[in-house]
Amino acid sequence: RFAHLFDRAPVGYVLLNAEGNLAEVNQVWLDMVGEARDRVIGRWFGAFLPPAEQAIFRESFLRLKATGSNHMELTILGANDRRIGISLEGKASLHADGSFWQANCVIVDTTRQRNTEEELRRSVEEHRRLYDTMTQGVVYHAADGSILSANPAAERILGLDNQRMQGRMTRQLFSRTVWENGAEADDADLPVMVALRTGKAVHAQIIGLQNADNADMLWLSVIAIPLYREGESKPYQVYT
């Protein structure tokens, strides 16, 4: 019964002797490497890894023998040159005299997780590149309306750098804020504050900002989009 459970477990299991050679393996691990059992038993585990990771395994296995357990993140070379990311959790079994007998290793295929993490990293990089190079200005505001960050286009349009804007409200950066008809705009009615208060997007409002350093009036078409954390009903940020 144990042999059946060992062989049909949903994760890879291998037993390694004192040299790090395969003493026993289950079917999941065989499927990973695309080999038959009689072709892998007795082989060094590191032989199934890329050359660059073999020294890492050798050192990690010595640590496992010395401390009784160790965790490793490795890459198996599978059939048809497929590279499989694995997480290996190894625990030592000892002889009655306390000397090392074998390592019991649980192996989990982390390829999908690694691919997902890589896709996420690429997505973040692409969005950062877009944020930095787009011609439209983007400003992120905290839940109190203060500015968190602005992209290079916003810095150029507003004539202010990030360091000067961060942590400040719009009214602290401009001497006047007016509507398209010239009427003074109250802070509470500005798109960012309306989006924070109502939780709804505000679209294409024309606003004039008078530079605090001179009399120039900068006219902008502003949208404000609230952002939510999962499970929360109030926006934690707004971008304009």
Side-chain angles (χ1 to χ4, degrees), residues 3 15 39 48 51 65 120 142 155 166 179 186 189 211 221 225 231 233:
L15 304 180
R39 290 178 58 84
F48 297 92
K65 293 171 64 176
L120 177 61
E155 291 181 295
Q166 285 174 348
W179 298 118
D186 293 332
D189 295 329
N211 195 307
S221 176
I225 308 296
S233 58

Side-chain angles (χ1 to χ4, degrees), residues 138-141 192 195 223-227 237-240:
V138 179
V139 180
Y140 280 88
H141 303 260
V192 61
I223 65 170
I225 308 296
L227 300 175
Q237 283 182 10
V238 166
Y239 70 88
T240 58

Side-chain angles (χ1 to χ4, degrees), residues 104-115:
N104 308 294
C105 304
V106 177
I107 297 173
V108 178
D109 184 344
T110 59
T111 306
R112 182 176 298 178
Q113 177 185 340
R114 291 189 188 185
N115 289 342

Side-chain angles (χ1 to χ4, degrees), residues 66-200:
T67 64
S69 65
N70 200 11
H71 176 83
M72 311 176 204
E73 296 288 335
L74 300 166
T75 305
I76 286 178
L77 298 177
N80 301 317
D81 296 324
R82 181 181 173 223
R83 299 174 73 89
I84 305 168
I86 64 166
S87 174
L88 184 153
E89 196 70 39
K91 292 189 179 297
S93 292
L94 308 178
H95 290 291
D97 62 3
S99 62
F100 180 86
W101 173 36
Q102 66 182 14
N104 308 294
C105 304
V106 177
I107 297 173
V108 178
D109 184 344
T110 59
T111 306
R112 182 176 298 178
Q113 177 185 340
R114 291 189 188 185
N115 289 342
T116 300
E117 291 172 351
E118 177 62 20
E119 289 170 5
L120 177 61
R121 184 189 64 79
R122 284 200 299 265
S123 177
V124 170
E125 287 181 354
E126 289 170 2
H127 281 83
R128 170 57 64 180
R129 192 178 302 113
L130 175 63
Y131 178 77
D132 286 341
T133 60
M134 63 192 300
T135 57
Q136 294 85 1
V138 179
V139 180
Y140 280 88
H141 303 260
D144 63 354
S146 61
I147 293 173
L148 294 170
S149 67
N151 72 343
E155 291 181 295
R156 183 173 61 255
I157 292 167
L158 298 174
L160 302 168
D161 60 33
N162 247 311
Q163 185 175 1
R164 184 173 177 184
M165 286 188 277
Q166 285 174 348
R168 306 183 75 180
M169 308 290 282
T170 301
R171 67 175 179 275
Q172 297 174 305
L173 299 170
F174 298 94
S175 57
R176 291 181 66 210
T177 307
V178 300
W179 298 118
E180 189 174 9
N181 61 7
E184 297 289 332
D186 293 332
D187 290 344
D189 295 329
L190 293 178
V192 61
M193 303 309 294
V194 173
L196 284 167
R197 185 171 63 252
T198 66
K200 297 179 180 180

